[in-house]
Amino acid sequence: MKNTQIARVFQDIADLLEIKAEDKFKIRAYDRAARTIEHLPKEIEIMLAEGESLRDIPGVGDAIEKKITELVSTGKLEYFEKLKADSPSGITELLDIPGIGPKTAQVLTSQLGIQSIDDLEAAIKSGEVAELSHIGEKKAEAILHGIEALRRKDKRIPIGDVFPIIEDILGTLRTIPGVKNLTAAGSVRRFSETVGDIDLMGTADNPETVLKAFVALPQVKEILVQGPTKASVILAGGLQADLRIVEHDSYGSLIQYFTGSKQHNILLRQYALKKGLSLSEYGITDVNTGIIEKFATEEGFYVRLGLQYIQPEIREGQREIEMAERKALPRLISREDIRGDFHVHTDWSDGNESLKAMVLSAQKMGYTYLAITDHSAGLGIAHGLNEDRLKKQMQEIRKLNEQSPGIHVFSGVEVDIKADGSLDLPDKILAQLDIVIAAIHSAINQDTETITRRMIRAIESPHVDIIAHPTCRLIGEREPSAIDMEAVFQAAARHHKILEINCAPSRLDLKDTHVFRARELGVMIALGTDSHRSEQFNYMRFGVNVARRGWCQAKDVLNTRSLNDVFAYLKR
DNA sequence: GCCGTTTTCGGCCCGACTGTTTTCAGTCG
């Protein structure tokens, strides 16, 4: 059983307890455990198999450890089954509707016998719901609205798609006099791989005028809430956008608060309370004196708490606060550390630009090296290279290297890993290349055992340097393959092979938790943009962000090494 | 249910907005 499934069960438990109006701190404990498990870098299954204690997971104590163990070993949890049996059927379905919480759900099921969203819709239309105490016409109307929103709610969208939307909105708002510091916070700033809504924030002389302009934007289809400091709207594409504006001198605490994650903020506030400090978006309040201290910068905010500055990408409520307290946070890799790109296509296979054009663009990026890795012939659609054409390309690259002294071009290939794990090109040609990337592109639906064995066979090939986009997922479009990633990490570590973070926003593969775990095992990471046009070189920033979410330092990523070091590393 | 350089018992994050209320509960992030 995967961590995401375990997390789901504990989230459901928290919801059911909330409906039963159980102790709210008990509810919070289950909720916290669910969130932590969801973001855990290591599969609990593996931890248990290795005899590792679950008590080291923050928020997991005696009771929850026992429940997890039962769930993983038997596939069922007695406590959860009983809880479900005791609760009105369909009640958790109602909680998915925006605007319905545990109290409302409880009233709807107990007083009207509602068991599904369809039941609820009918009851609202018949007027029954509006007659309940504490629910009136407007509330019933709002719930109906929530049902519609739920039904048309699009999936979370890949983070690469939200930046243009955000720039569009902020560009307009920036023209308002007296507004400053407009920026995206929330999951966008933490660089979560998908985004459910966009959180925007800023400071202004007069917050209300900015909010009025925001809800009046042509992109806004519908206004959900609007007050003097915050507003929520639905944009034309169906995406929700929230804007929060405070006065200028609270910028540091506002952006901290609005960046989240929620779990990080809860833990940070708990930590602060122990020091007698209460945190909010307006600043830090001394509990004893009631005096509030304001912060112009986020750095100042963390420093005041006695912490190292915590980068947004690692604010997921794992161990970042205790490490910041010990001043033990790593210096995360940054875009400036990157000296080259290891995954690039040209019009020799399915790329759109010539070899020369791609090299020139890479030079403009300030890179000192670049690997050209066109597809191998097995990929019919990709106009892949056979042995002869690959040899010709190697000659071209050799000439290019003589002509352009500013940048070194590695001759490489992205060789297809065939269904049985063999490679699509003979060893003797692979041996002549500077760098060999291997990747799965077909028969992605093989079962776990088959596809894992297939991948490990490729890792064991003495010619393979890097495994590209290891899970083959396409965000929002194609689920990752059934591959056993822990086994892949172990094999990569054993054979000193490099794993790629594919930087294309539709892939981001490896993902953050995978990177964390692979790095922990000592696996070298390489960033590859998989560029098919030179403008896609800019995807590098996405890959860097994923590496940061995996707590990578410069030393963990091959792209930060000097040309000589890369040569040496590939030669080993 | 979890947790502890103030505690193994007694705490547990903080504020905005809405609607149904005569002072606040519910929901959300």
Side-chain angles (χ1 to χ4, degrees), chain A residues 462-486:
Chain A
H463 302 295
V464 168
D465 300 296
I466 300 177
I467 300 293
H469 46 75
T471 77
C472 293
R473 71 160 177 182
L474 292 174
I475 295 173
E477 277 179 54
R478 185 169 74 204
E479 289 297 306
S481 73
I483 197 162
D484 176 352
M485 289 306 288
E486 177 72 12

Side-chain angles (χ1 to χ4, degrees), chain A residues 278-307:
Chain A
S278 170
L279 311 183
S280 78
E281 53 267 53
Y282 299 107
I284 298 179
T285 308
D286 186 311
V287 175
N288 294 321
T289 64
I291 295 171
I292 184 166
E293 193 179 346
K294 297 186 175 185
F295 294 87
T297 70
E298 199 181 33
E299 285 80 359
F301 189 88
Y302 279 99
V303 168
R304 174 66 183 84
L305 296 173
L307 297 172

Side-chain angles (χ1 to χ4, degrees), chain A residues 1 53 100 105 137 145 186 196 224 242 357 387 423 449 514 564:
Chain A
M1 183 173 280
S53 167
I100 292 195
E137 290 277 334
H145 223 68
L224 295 177
D242 302 333
E387 210 175 324
L423 299 175
E449 200 191 330
H514 287 152
N564 282 339

Side-chain angles (χ1 to χ4, degrees), chain A residues 30-89:
Chain A
Y30 280 103
D31 184 63
R32 179 186 177 191
R35 286 169 197 278
T36 309
I37 290 166
E38 195 186 344
H39 288 105
L40 220 52
K42 194 170 176 179
E43 291 293 335
I44 283 179
E45 239 172 12
I46 306 216
M47 295 175 69
L48 288 173
E50 291 177 353
E52 207 172 317
S53 167
L54 303 181
R55 298 292 297 272
D56 292 338
I57 301 169
V60 174
D62 191 43
I64 293 184
E65 179 184 40
K66 283 207 181 77
K67 290 189 174 72
I68 295 174
T69 310
E70 180 188 337
L71 185 60
V72 172
S73 55
T74 69
K76 267 180 83 172
L77 180 56
E78 192 60 41
Y79 176 74
F80 179 46
E81 297 302 324
K82 198 158 180 306
L83 210 49
K84 274 197 292 193
D86 288 347
S87 309
S89 71

Side-chain angles (χ1 to χ4, degrees), chain A residues 208-277:
Chain A
E208 207 154 353
T209 58
V210 184
L211 286 154
K212 277 188 181 142
F214 174 64
V215 300
L217 285 173
Q219 296 95 321
V220 170
K221 197 171 72 180
E222 186 188 331
I223 302 169
L224 295 177
V225 295
Q226 183 188 1
T229 70
K230 68 176 272 192
S232 293
V233 302
I234 302 285
L235 300 173
L239 194 63
Q240 180 174 331
D242 302 333
L243 177 66
R244 184 73 191 269
I245 303 279
V246 298
E247 288 175 9
H248 300 301
D249 54 0
S250 288
Y251 174 69
S253 48
L254 176 67
I255 192 169
Q256 194 291 319
Y257 155 77
F258 219 28
T259 296
S261 63
K262 183 176 172 154
Q263 190 61 29
H264 173 84
N265 283 356
I266 288 173
L267 294 175
L268 195 65
R269 285 166 179 186
Q270 270 173 15
Y271 165 84
L273 269 186
K274 282 190 279 179
K275 295 180 174 259
L277 302 170

Side-chain angles (χ1 to χ4, degrees), chain A residues 340-346 350 358 369-375 413-415 435 437-439 441 466-469 500-504 507 509 526-533 536-537 539-540 559:
Chain A
D341 191 332
F342 287 112
H343 190 158
V344 174
H345 296 272
T346 72
D350 63 344
M358 291 304 270
Y369 48 81
L370 176 74
I372 297 297
T373 55
D374 275 308
H375 289 286
V413 72
E414 180 180 4
V415 63
I435 188 164
I437 296 182
H441 297 96
I466 300 177
I467 300 293
H469 46 75
E500 175 184 85
I501 296 173
N502 191 291
C503 310
R507 290 192 183 268
D509 179 11
L527 299 179
T529 57
D530 208 346
S531 288
H532 289 67
R533 288 193 301 279
Q536 294 176 341
F537 280 131
Y539 290 166
M540 184 58 75
N559 308 56

Side-chain angles (χ1 to χ4, degrees), chain A residues 359-411:
Chain A
V359 172
L360 267 172
S361 298
Q363 223 165 347
K364 281 192 198 130
M365 299 282 293
Y367 286 160
T368 53
Y369 48 81
L370 176 74
I372 297 297
T373 55
D374 275 308
H375 289 286
S376 62
L379 284 181
I381 48 157
H383 188 48
L385 303 182
N386 58 23
E387 210 175 324
D388 281 349
R389 291 185 62 225
L390 192 50
K391 277 184 184 162
K392 287 205 181 89
Q393 194 191 46
M394 288 167 71
Q395 285 170 7
E396 283 290 313
I397 289 175
R398 207 169 301 140
K399 267 191 265 173
L400 215 52
N401 274 332
E402 285 159 13
Q403 291 162 10
S404 24
I407 185 165
H408 183 81
V409 184
F410 292 109
S411 267

